[in-house]
Amino acid sequence: MSTTATSKANISLGRMLLRSLAHRRARSFSALAALTVSAAVSTALLTLYNDLDAKLHHEFRSFGANVVVNSTSVAISPDEILQVQNIAGTNSLTAPIAYAIAETDRKTPVVVAGVDFATMQKLDNWWKVGTWPGQPDQVLLGQRAAGFIANEKEVTLTYAGKALTLHGTGRLSTGGDEDSRIYLPLATFENWIGVQPHVLEIQVPGGAGRVNAVLSQLQHDLPQLHAEPVRQLVAGESSIVDKTHALMYGAVLLIALTVAVSVLATLSASVLERRRDFALMKALGASQSQLFAHFLLEALVLATVGVVAGYLLGSGLAWAIGIANFGTATWPKLSILPLVLLLNLGIAACAALFPARVLRGLQPAALLKGE
C-alpha cells in the first residue's frame, strides 16, 4: 500500500514539474537560454583549453629556432650534429649553418652563409622569400645584400682569392640581419671555402620546460659546445601561453557569474509569480523542504537540458574557432562534459538558493485570502 502511494506521489511530482515548466514557458525559456549559453561557452573554452598548449606551441614553431648551438673555435662535426639532433628529439628541426665574409663583384664585403635550404624553409617559414633555391649553383639574396651585387642573375663572390659564380633565384626580406647576407647551399659553401658549420639553429617542440631540459642535456653531454635559448622567443611563448590560460579561466568565471545573475533574476520572478501556488501546496500539507526541493528540481532540470544543448553548440563553436585561428580542427571531448554539467548545476543551485528563501516566509492563509 505504501509503495503504491509513493509511486503516485512520484508521478504527481513529475507531472507537477512538467506542467510548471510548460505553464511558465517564457520564464523557463529565459533561464534555459542563459544556462545553455553558459554551457556552450564553457564547453568551447574548455575544449580549446585542452588543445591550447599544443596549438600555441605549434604556432610559435613558425617563428623559427628557439635554441642556438655554436662553437667559436672549431667546426661542429657530423657526429656532434647527430648527438644534438638525438637530444633535441625526433620532432625537432636542426639547421647547420656556416658563415664567412666574402667579396662581391663590386668589391664590397658581405656575409655569406651556407645552409640546407630544405631545412631552413621548414625552420624559418616566416621569412619572406620570392623563390627558394633548388639547385647547387643557386643563391638567395638578402634584401640589402642584393644592393652589393652588380648582376643578381650572375652572382660572383670571391673568398681568399677563389672566385665562385652562382645564380640568384630570389630575394629574402626579414627586417633583420638576414637581409644583409647571401645564402647558398651548404655543400657548395663547404667545397668553395672549406669551412664546416659552426652554428646550429634548433627548433625544439614544447614549451619553456622542454627547451630548458634540452639545454641542460646539451650542456651536460656536449660541454665543448655553447647552447643557449633564443630568450625573446622562449620568454614570449611562455608569457603568451600563461596569459591565454588566465584569460580563458577569467572568461569562464565571468560568464558563470553573469549567467548566475540572469538565472537568479528569472527564478526570483518565478517565485513571486507563484506564491499562491506554493501557499496552496503548503496549506495542503507540503513541508518547507518539499517546496524547496520542487523549486530546486525545476532549476536543475533546466540546467541539465541546457548542458546537453550547450555541449553540442559549444563543441561546434570550438571546432569553428580551431579551424579559423589555428587551421586545425578541435574535436569534441566527452571528458569535459562532467565538468560543464557540474558548473551548470552549481550555477542553478546557487541561483535557486536565494529566491527559495521567500518560500520560508509564506503565510498560506494570508496569500489565499488575497492579502
Side-chain angles (χ1 to χ4, degrees), residues 14-198:
R15 288 179 177 175
M16 288 173 60
L17 180 62
L18 292 175
R19 293 187 64 181
S20 174
L21 293 173
H23 184 65
R24 274 163 287 277
R25 286 191 296 269
R27 297 288 184 191
S28 300
F29 181 79
S30 177
L32 178 61
L35 291 166
T36 299
V37 169
S38 170
V41 176
S42 299
T43 297
L45 291 178
L46 291 173
T47 301
L48 290 171
Y49 181 85
N50 281 348
D51 287 343
L52 180 65
D53 284 0
K55 290 187 182 297
L56 286 180
H57 291 320
H58 175 74
E59 290 296 311
F60 269 94
R61 295 292 72 79
S62 64
F63 292 106
N66 51 13
V67 171
V68 175
V69 176
N70 59 69
S71 175
T72 56
S73 57
V74 295
I76 302 176
S77 68
D79 288 341
E80 289 174 329
I81 294 177
L82 183 59
Q83 283 184 270
V84 170
Q85 291 174 330
N86 290 335
I87 292 172
T90 55
N91 293 327
S92 65
L93 286 174
T94 302
I97 306 175
Y99 293 102
I101 297 179
E103 192 176 77
T104 69
D105 51 4
R106 287 184 173 177
K107 307 302 179 182
T108 304
V110 65
V111 175
V112 293
V115 299
D116 179 0
F117 282 116
T119 303
M120 293 299 291
Q121 188 171 0
K122 296 177 182 178
L123 182 66
D124 294 312
N125 57 10
W126 60 276
W127 283 4
K128 295 179 181 178
V129 178
T131 303
W132 284 91
Q135 301 299 324
D137 61 345
Q138 293 180 338
V139 297
L140 185 64
L141 302 174
Q143 190 69 28
R144 290 191 294 272
F148 307 153
I149 305 296
N151 183 2
E152 294 185 27
K153 298 299 182 181
E154 300 291 333
V155 180
T156 301
L157 301 171
T158 304
Y159 177 84
K162 297 173 63 176
L164 179 69
T165 299
L166 302 166
H167 305 289
T169 59
R171 288 194 180 189
L172 161 68
S173 177
T174 67
D177 295 338
E178 295 85 1
D179 291 0
S180 299
R181 300 170 184 164
I182 297 177
Y183 290 87
L184 57 151
L186 182 58
T188 302
F189 181 96
E190 291 177 346
N191 292 333
W192 172 42
I193 295 181
V195 175
Q196 291 183 327
H198 52 271

Side-chain angles (χ1 to χ4, degrees), residues 264-305:
L264 172 62
T266 300
L267 295 182
S268 297
S270 178
V271 169
L272 293 176
E273 286 180 358
R274 301 160 60 191
R275 286 181 300 171
R276 288 178 176 272
D277 296 339
F278 286 121
L280 179 59
M281 292 172 63
K282 203 169 186 179
L284 293 175
S287 65
Q288 183 68 36
S289 59
Q290 288 176 321
L291 294 179
F292 177 71
H294 178 82
F295 184 68
L296 179 62
L297 187 58
E298 288 185 9
L300 296 182
V301 167
L302 291 174
T304 303
V305 175

Side-chain angles (χ1 to χ4, degrees), residues 332-345:
K333 293 178 173 57
L334 285 175
S335 59
I336 68 170
L337 184 57
L339 184 58
V340 175
L341 178 61
L342 184 62
L343 176 64
N344 249 31
L345 292 179

